[in-house]
Amino acid sequence: MPDCAACTKTITGTIVTALDKEWHPECFLCCECYCQLRGKSFFTTKQGRVICELDYKIFEASRCAKCHEAVTGEIVTALDKKWHPYCFICNRCRKPFGSEGFMVKEDKPYCKKDYQELFCGGQDVKVVASDTCFGCNEKLGSKWVEAMSNNWHPECFVCTKCKESLSGEKFYNIDGKPVCTKCG
């Protein structure tokens, strides 16, 4: 019989297994609001604390540079800020950026077309690629998922076991690999 990671007493009934440990259901709690986490989504903080999804959004999640709401799931990181994909748009035409990426002038993002018209007299300019995808090692465009301290193409961020997309979905970090809630 295993011992509970929280209270260290022997577990004789239902066992919750999470974070490579065993817990009594009543001992596996959010460190902020103390709600039971059995069967719920949870996150671990940088300090290693376990918190519920609501408290993660309140206390830990990055804030979107445009709407200031919590950003979870698919995140655009640009201009040293975090954005919802639907909030990171061209400063002129207000459309989301396509595969061509974006250009920056005075800390504001522009699509290539509008940047060329406004600042280059219509002349062609090159868009600098941002980073590399952790999944495929190829260059990232204007949208990527930031998860588990890495950047991924949305189509490369998939469950290690069943290969289902995890972009915008809840997942577990099991031994440094993303796993969906069905397979976890």
Side-chain angles (χ1 to χ4, degrees):
M1 296 281 184
D3 291 336
C4 176
C7 73
T8 67
K9 294 180 184 173
T10 301
I11 305 171
T12 56
T14 303
I15 298 173
V16 173
T17 303
L19 307 171
D20 297 323
K21 299 175 185 173
E22 285 82 29
W23 316 70
H24 290 108
E26 61 273 14
C27 291
F28 188 53
L29 306 173
C30 171
C31 290
E32 289 292 336
C33 69
Y34 304 105
C35 70
Q36 286 191 17
L37 295 173
R38 178 183 175 200
K40 295 181 181 177
S41 296
F42 64 89
F43 295 84
T44 52
T45 67
K46 291 175 184 169
Q47 296 79 27
R49 299 177 26 200
V50 180
I51 59 175
C52 67
E53 185 173 16
L54 177 63
D55 286 332
Y56 177 80
K57 287 179 178 178
I58 293 170
F59 300 112
E60 298 287 328
S62 298
R63 298 281 162 200
C64 176
K66 182 177 180 190
C67 71
H68 307 291
E69 294 292 321
V71 183
T72 58
E74 192 174 341
I75 298 174
V76 174
T77 303
L79 307 175
D80 294 323
K81 299 172 187 166
K82 310 287 186 197
W83 314 72
H84 293 108
Y86 50 84
C87 288
F88 188 62
I89 57 175
C90 175
N91 194 53
R92 182 182 191 200
C93 69
R94 303 289 184 218
K95 292 180 183 173
F97 300 104
S99 60
E100 286 192 343
F102 63 95
M103 308 297 292
V104 179
K105 180 79 169 182
E106 296 174 0
D107 207 31
K108 294 177 183 159
Y110 294 89
C111 67
K112 183 177 178 181
K113 177 182 171 282
D114 287 339
Y115 186 92
Q116 287 174 188
E117 287 176 12
L118 289 169
F119 309 111
C120 302
Q123 298 296 317
D124 193 24
V125 291
K126 293 184 180 179
V127 178
V128 180
S130 52
D131 206 354
T132 349
C133 172
F134 186 75
C136 70
N137 290 321
E138 293 194 15
K139 293 285 183 191
L140 294 170
S142 62
K143 290 185 182 180
W144 63 85
V145 177
E146 186 177 289
M148 300 173 15
S149 301
N150 292 301
N151 296 328
W152 313 68
H153 290 113
E155 62 274 13
C156 293
F157 188 58
V158 297
C159 173
T160 304
K161 295 183 179 181
C162 71
K163 305 300 181 207
E164 287 291 317
S165 174
L166 294 174
S167 183
E169 301 296 325
K170 297 175 178 108
F171 67 93
Y172 300 110
N173 180 345
I174 300 179
D175 298 324
K177 296 178 181 161
V179 177
C180 71
T181 54
K182 291 181 216 162
C183 294

